[in-house]
Amino acid sequence: MTVAAQKIAADPGAAITTLRSRIGFGFGDFGVSIGWNITNTFVLFYYTDAVGLPNAVAGTIIMAAMIWDGITDPVIGVLASWTRTRWGRYRPYMLFGCIPLALSLALMFHRPDLEGTELIVFVAATHLLFRTCYTVVAIPYSALIARLSRNADERSSLAVWRLLFATISGALVAGLTLDLSKALGDGDLAVGFGRTAMIFAAFSVAAILVCVAVTRESESQADIDQPLPSIGNILQMLSKNSAFWLLFAILFIGGTGSTIGGKSGLYFLKYNLESESLFGLFAGGYALTIALSVPFWGWIAKRRGKKFVLLSAFSIAITVNGALFLLAHASPLIIIPLMILGAVGAGAVFLSISAAMPDTVEFGELKTGVRAEAVIYGLMAFAQKVSLGVAVGILGFGLDLIGYRANEVQTAEATEGLIYLVSLVPMSFYIVCLVLARRFDLDQSRHAEIVREIAAKKRIASDGAAGTSKSQGR
């Protein structure tokens, strides 16, 4: 018996994906992530330094857009769960949404010939438009993994390819955007950003279309015939889906900690290590380390399980942050490689949550009979964005508390406070995540058992419906 046949025998609901479909699925995240990366990394700088908006106005627009983004994520999740088409449930959103997404990205980085209130209204409107188009494409794309296969190992492989392409996208955007904008702007940074955004938008469309073309959603006839879940059904499924809420909590708490550590890292490099010029090297090394570690963690997940990877991730993060606190006054030649080592743990977190999240779909389906993966992914996106806002708020309060003053020589209390913000504060969040991860027991064998139970229930229901139909026919 082949390996593929053995997997199908162990997990009747599994679909064995090809290398072509795995790469195509991963390529989709390359396209989806482009807009997210350039927006989160450069849009504030673009608004203030290229468009000329006041800092407070630019920050308010971005904050309002993030709130809107968080609201629309679960809404799109519900709509996608109600969708039934001959192309599948989720790929139509990607197919018909990728061009509006690209146009909204280009429009967001277009500097019109407007001033004052009219300019602010234009910037706010185009930013909200982009966030909406992004949600329409990104949430169905994230949910797609749950429809490509119900085999836990296959999902781990799909998650590896997705994270690899997402990391490549982030590295390219971070490394090329500013230089491209300066080179293409002919002395006008706003024009340069606009042209760069158009190039990235074209790549985004191409990558998403490749993903749509080479992937296929795997659905049985019972899945197709399943009635659309009501809001009440979805809420009931969520209330009983303890596996989902455990991952939700880990993502929210861990995301808050990692954002605090990551954003305070720039201040730490600039004022404690006096190595601001090395930030690009650090960021590139961090991204490369994640890309290299993800396949390794995917291999480990198949052999030891996702829970083992999750526990390893936070154990590494706690160890690195503890060492960073103890060695904070050492040379940058020691500190920067140590900080980059933390990316090994970050890669493990990304892989384990990306691979485990679709398994919670079947967990909820077994408990209630309701399958709504897009809702689950919409709520997970909500957790990510809210954790970002909470982290920025905590960091801002922390910087005020330690007496930080921008672009000035920092006091001893401020530099010592930065050490805490970059090490012990995020470490406290990781400790909580480690405790929560110990409670996650949805491993490969349990998931395969759940899939078999769901398939058995559907066969019984189908046979019962067929028997009723025959008796009525007589």
Side-chain angles (χ1 to χ4, degrees), residues 18-63:
T18 63
L19 179 61
R20 177 173 176 267
S21 64
R22 292 173 190 169
I23 295 175
F25 174 70
F27 206 47
D29 209 349
F30 179 87
V32 172
S33 296
I34 284 176
W36 173 264
N37 287 322
I38 190 174
T39 301
N40 283 357
T41 306
F42 293 104
V43 77
L44 179 61
F45 174 79
Y46 167 74
Y47 285 162
T48 58
D49 288 46
V51 177
L53 292 181
N55 294 336
V57 172
T60 300
I61 290 172
I62 295 171
M63 181 181 68

Side-chain angles (χ1 to χ4, degrees), residues 38 176-194 196-197:
I38 190 174
L176 297 178
T177 298
L178 201 53
D179 288 340
L180 269 179
S181 298
K182 291 177 180 178
L184 298 176
D186 298 326
D188 189 327
L189 190 59
V191 171
F193 264 106
T196 300

Side-chain angles (χ1 to χ4, degrees), residues 269-323:
L269 285 172
K270 180 176 181 178
Y271 295 105
N272 291 59
L273 302 184
E274 298 180 350
S275 302
E276 185 182 13
S277 61
L278 296 178
F279 184 75
L281 177 64
F282 163 70
Y286 197 89
L288 179 61
T289 303
I290 289 178
L292 293 175
S293 69
V294 163
F296 167 75
W297 289 119
W299 179 78
I300 293 294
K302 289 184 178 181
R303 283 151 182 79
R304 297 296 303 274
K306 298 162 191 174
K307 179 178 180 178
F308 177 84
V309 174
L310 202 55
L311 291 172
S312 300
F314 290 114
S315 297
I316 292 171
I318 291 168
T319 301
V320 168
N321 278 265

